[in-house]
Amino acid sequence: MLIRKPADIPSSEITPEAAYLDRRRFIASAASAGIVGAIAPAMLGAEAQGVAAAAAPRPPRQDELTPYEDVTQYNNFYEFGPGKEDPYRNAGDFEPKPWTIEVGGHCAKPGTYGLEDFLKPHTLEDRVYRLRCVEAWSMVIPWRGFPLSRIIDRAEPTSAAKYVAFTTIVRPSQMPYQNTGLLDWPYREGLRMDEARHPLTLLADGLYGRDLPNQNGAPLRLVVPWKYGFKSIKSIVRIDFVEDMPYTTWSAMAPEEYGFFANVNPEVDHPRWSQARERRIGEFRKRPTLAFNGYANQVAPMYSGMDLRRWY
């Protein structure tokens, strides 16, 4: 099994804050430097069993960032409503600070930490990642955060820990749709340990150089760029190291539609629509969906030998 080190990630994956705050300057500077694939490091990537190439070989191209207004006003956060605009409309009363996160399970150093305990010891990084949702739409977002592996290393999980489980806060007084039966609250997600340790896996506290807005998962959310967006759990209050595959909200409620692994795979359709093409927010025409969302070179080896039609 190959897990790439941070040094193996192309520098084009990490965008300086000063560059992306001025979108036009970011595009111009990237072009002048010859960085034409800023967020497509694996367009031609290696394949795991069951995943065919998403597109014929072609030169990588640079993708523009999705405007801040679209990123913050069109998203999924069911605690604030099922519509794409509902989180922006309904998240204003949510209070993301102060914040604590409980770390437990099979680890040598469990504990309850304030948000500042997670952020202060670590250098925050700026990374441009795609976000791909099962509804066949996508965005290109400059995230601010740090690798989840830093928290894992700090907690020192034991050999019994095979998975990492995450839990969202339950606060129905500020999250109005937690007063409904829309989902099984709290929202829960999980990753296999190698996925959680992968250097692309990010705990994000901001985007576009600003703190995360409430509707985008304030104050701390997961970002797993090669998976569908529902894996990137928001407003995390608990992280547990567990031995068995953990309960995850959508996989439990609709297992025929949402698998545990949720790797972006153009060859595995959602039962109600095709996943072979996607619409980038702000664009009219759809484009081919890339295997592993374009990150196959970095992540496909983790799934070598797996039938990704079965383990979707």
Side-chain angles (χ1 to χ4, degrees), residues 150-308:
R150 296 181 186 173
I151 299 303
I152 297 174
D153 292 340
R154 181 174 179 176
E156 297 182 10
T158 70
S159 59
K162 308 300 182 186
Y163 296 86
V164 183
F166 306 88
T167 306
T168 292
I169 194 170
V170 175
R171 194 183 286 173
S173 62
Q174 297 177 8
M175 297 173 136
Y177 277 78
Q178 286 185 337
N179 293 298
T180 73
L182 182 63
L183 292 179
D184 178 23
W185 313 111
Y187 194 93
R188 285 168 281 182
E189 256 306 334
L191 296 173
R192 205 169 61 189
M193 183 62 74
D194 58 342
E195 298 175 318
R197 284 191 177 276
H198 195 281
L200 287 179
T201 304
L202 195 70
L203 278 177
D205 81 313
L207 51 79
Y208 268 100
R210 314 179 195 182
D211 290 347
L212 276 177
N214 291 345
Q215 63 269 24
N216 290 90
L220 197 69
R221 63 168 289 165
L222 187 68
V223 179
V224 192
W226 68 93
K227 296 179 178 290
Y228 291 112
F230 70 87
K231 294 294 290 186
S232 294
I233 186 171
K234 304 175 179 75
S235 301
I236 298 168
V237 291
R238 186 172 181 91
I239 299 173
D240 287 292
F241 300 98
V242 298
E243 186 171 0
D244 299 319
M245 184 179 289
Y247 176 101
T248 60
T249 296
W250 279 112
S251 296
M253 294 192 67
E256 71 284 356
E257 299 185 15
Y258 305 99
F260 175 83
F261 287 96
N263 294 317
V264 175
N265 187 344
E267 297 213 336
V268 176
D269 290 334
H270 188 280
R272 288 177 279 135
W273 53 74
S274 170
Q275 297 284 17
R277 299 181 67 81
E278 65 183 66
R279 184 177 69 85
R280 183 72 47 79
I281 298 300
E283 296 180 352
F284 177 74
R285 293 184 178 180
K286 289 188 175 182
R287 60 176 68 198
T289 298
L290 302 176
F292 296 103
N293 208 24
Y295 297 94
N297 278 347
Q298 291 99 321
V299 304
M302 289 191 293
Y303 309 101
S304 178
M306 292 178 61
D307 180 354
L308 297 185

Side-chain angles (χ1 to χ4, degrees), residues 4-244:
R4 296 188 182 275
K5 305 182 293 298
D8 294 326
I9 301 174
S11 60
S12 57
E13 287 288 340
I14 303 173
T15 305
E17 177 176 331
Y20 69 66
L21 285 177
D22 183 335
R23 187 164 171 242
R24 291 185 179 180
R25 180 155 53 89
F26 165 74
I27 295 170
S29 63
S32 65
I35 304 173
V36 295
I39 62 151
M43 191 167 287
L44 311 179
E47 301 168 15
Q49 181 178 345
V51 178
R58 61 187 180 187
R61 70 173 184 275
Q62 180 180 324
D63 294 317
E64 290 192 18
L65 302 180
T66 302
Y68 179 85
E69 291 75 15
D70 290 335
V71 172
T72 57
Q73 296 180 26
Y74 188 92
N75 51 44
N76 290 326
F77 200 166
Y78 280 76
E79 285 81 348
F80 297 109
K84 298 295 183 291
E85 295 83 12
D86 287 344
Y88 173 71
R89 294 169 179 166
N90 299 329
D93 292 335
F94 185 70
E95 298 176 0
K97 294 180 182 180
W99 195 267
T100 58
I101 301 171
E102 189 170 354
V103 178
H106 294 293
C107 62
K109 295 182 178 179
T112 300
Y113 301 91
L115 184 62
E116 64 278 3
D117 297 322
F118 281 80
L119 300 180
K120 284 183 178 179
H122 307 297
T123 301
L124 294 176
E125 303 174 6
D126 299 319
R127 299 185 179 187
V128 175
Y129 281 163
R130 292 188 188 92
L131 176 67
R132 173 68 164 79
C133 292
V134 289
E135 296 95 339
W137 57 272
S138 63
M139 295 183 174
V140 182
I141 303 173
W143 300 100
R144 184 186 72 195
F146 58 92
L148 173 62
S149 61
R150 296 181 186 173
I151 299 303
I152 297 174
D153 292 340
R154 181 174 179 176
E156 297 182 10
T158 70
S159 59
K162 308 300 182 186
Y163 296 86
V164 183
F166 306 88
T167 306
T168 292
I169 194 170
V170 175
R171 194 183 286 173
S173 62
Q174 297 177 8
M175 297 173 136
Y177 277 78
Q178 286 185 337
N179 293 298
T180 73
L182 182 63
L183 292 179
D184 178 23
W185 313 111
Y187 194 93
R188 285 168 281 182
E189 256 306 334
L191 296 173
R192 205 169 61 189
M193 183 62 74
D194 58 342
E195 298 175 318
R197 284 191 177 276
H198 195 281
L200 287 179
T201 304
L202 195 70
L203 278 177
D205 81 313
L207 51 79
Y208 268 100
R210 314 179 195 182
D211 290 347
L212 276 177
N214 291 345
Q215 63 269 24
N216 290 90
L220 197 69
R221 63 168 289 165
L222 187 68
V223 179
V224 192
W226 68 93
K227 296 179 178 290
Y228 291 112
F230 70 87
K231 294 294 290 186
S232 294
I233 186 171
K234 304 175 179 75
S235 301
I236 298 168
V237 291
R238 186 172 181 91
I239 299 173
D240 287 292
F241 300 98
V242 298
E243 186 171 0
D244 299 319

